[in-house]
Amino acid sequence: MIVVAEEIQQAQRDGRGVVALETTLVAHGFPPGEGVEVGLASERAVRDGGSVPATVGVLDGEIRVGLTRDELERFDTSARKLGPRDLAAAVVQRALGATTVGGTLAVCSAVGIRFMATGGLGGVHRGWPAPPDVSADLQALAQTQALVISSGVKSLLDVPATSELLETLGVPVLGWRTETLPLFYAADGGPPVSARVESAGEAARIARAHWELGRGGLLLGRPPDESLDDIEPLIEQALAAAAAEGVHGQEVTPFVLSYLHRESGGRTLAANRDLIAGNARLAGEIAAA
Ligand code: PSU
Ligand code: MN
């Protein structure tokens, strides 16, 4: 059911770093066509970091680990958004399926990949407890022995609540040369991390020690290189628009991201694209270490 590309199998045999990348941000995180470029740039960044990229998605009844450019180009807005619970049905029904962070981690655990990069982890959506919308990314991270490198939790969520829940789940939240969890587009102002790390080697050693203790996943938050510090009012507008239009469930994140990309005149789009590549690069370095 899972097909791992030859280059990735070889890298695993050789003990090289392998970094998983998701396809939901390719299909649903950017305007049509642009997500593919972001995905390809992430793959290059992983290689620049010294590791091999493993982009995950469901195609033609198979869970694919490692996609060609042509295959990646099939991940358009028609793709299902696949969390951990959605993989089996997508395979059996031969659906085109774009994996979220949670869905990708479920595949990582099946094939022994220990690192993944994304833009921002999912988490507790604002408005808890009505309706309780908590991304499956969190439980998948708690259960999977993998280190996820992201620019923290997407700030359209309830970040403090997500941070508390990560503690409850026993997920270490590491800060890349920072004391606070990055707020996706913004570097500062987030909740405290559980430990600050200074180097790729240190992050790798902490991850290994955590796994030797029999624990699950870890999050490493890397601040965006250029911090956008004036986006919160726009996020509130976007969430209000989503509520007014009856957008809910899986559609909230893509709706809000595209609203922000449009209404910020492309500033959030550029920031999101750049932070994903930066996270992929760092993931490549840590996986290699
Ligand atoms: N990071 C981005 N853009 C994205 C995502 C992450 O820069 O679109 C996606 C990931 O696939 C993550 C998902 O798993 O958002 C979370 O969505 P939800 O909150 O609906 O679970
Ligand atoms: Mn949800």
Side-chain angles (χ1 to χ4, degrees):
M1 184 174 6
I2 306 184
V3 177
V4 182
E6 184 50 48
E7 184 197 14
I8 295 162
Q9 289 188 42
Q10 188 63 49
Q12 289 187 301
R13 281 195 293 272
D14 295 346
R16 294 190 58 197
V18 175
V19 175
L21 300 170
E22 50 146 318
T23 35
T24 286
L25 65 80
V26 170
H28 301 294
F30 290 90
E34 292 186 43
V36 174
E37 294 309 319
V38 175
L40 292 170
S42 306
E43 293 190 350
R44 286 193 299 273
V46 168
R47 289 189 197 280
D48 289 345
S51 294
V52 174
T55 304
V56 174
V58 174
L59 274 182
D60 307 324
E62 292 171 341
I63 297 173
R64 301 287 302 277
V65 180
L67 299 171
T68 64
R69 188 197 171 107
D70 286 349
E71 287 166 346
L72 192 65
E73 280 173 355
R74 290 171 59 186
F75 288 84
D76 58 16
T77 51
S78 72
R80 281 191 202 172
K81 182 173 166 183
L82 305 185
R85 69 172 183 176
D86 306 308
L87 290 166
V91 167
V92 170
Q93 297 172 345
R94 302 182 74 84
L96 174 69
T99 51
T100 63
V101 172
T104 304
L105 286 171
V107 176
C108 286
S109 102
V111 300
I113 294 178
R114 300 288 196 151
F115 301 91
M116 98 162 270
T118 186
L121 189 73
V124 182
H125 284 255
R126 296 187 195 183
W128 170 277
D133 182 3
V134 181
S135 176
D137 288 359
L138 299 187
Q139 205 216 7
L141 183 57
Q143 287 182 339
T144 307
Q145 291 196 326
L147 172 64
V148 173
I149 292 91
S150 74
S151 293
V153 170
K154 282 191 298 293
S155 47
L156 50 117
L157 305 170
D158 184 334
V159 178
T162 305
S163 164
E164 293 295 340
L165 196 46
L166 285 165
E167 180 182 12
T168 305
L169 291 167
V171 175
V173 176
L174 309 177
W176 177 250
R177 299 177 179 164
T178 176
E179 308 283 338
T180 57
L181 186 63
L183 292 176
F184 197 49
Y185 304 120
D188 302 311
V193 295
S194 58
R196 170 182 173 130
V197 300
E198 300 295 338
S199 70
E202 188 184 12
R205 288 195 304 277
I206 292 172
R208 186 168 56 193
H210 190 65
W211 299 328
E212 280 173 1
L213 290 167
R215 306 295 305 174
L218 309 86
L219 180 67
L220 172 62
R222 188 193 69 92
D225 294 309
E226 276 185 52
S227 182
L228 300 184
D229 296 322
D230 57 353
I231 300 300
E232 179 57 28
L234 214 50
I235 291 175
E236 277 162 28
Q237 268 181 44
L239 290 169
E245 293 182 35
V247 176
H248 58 266
Q250 286 197 325
E251 274 89 56
V252 173
T253 296
F255 177 94
V256 171
L257 291 176
S258 80
Y259 185 102
L260 296 175
H261 293 164
R262 196 173 59 245
E263 297 298 322
S264 70
R267 288 165 66 228
T268 61
L269 191 152
N272 198 353
R273 186 190 60 213
D274 294 350
L275 66 84
I276 289 169
N279 296 340
R281 160 91 202 204
L282 179 59
E285 291 174 10
I286 297 170

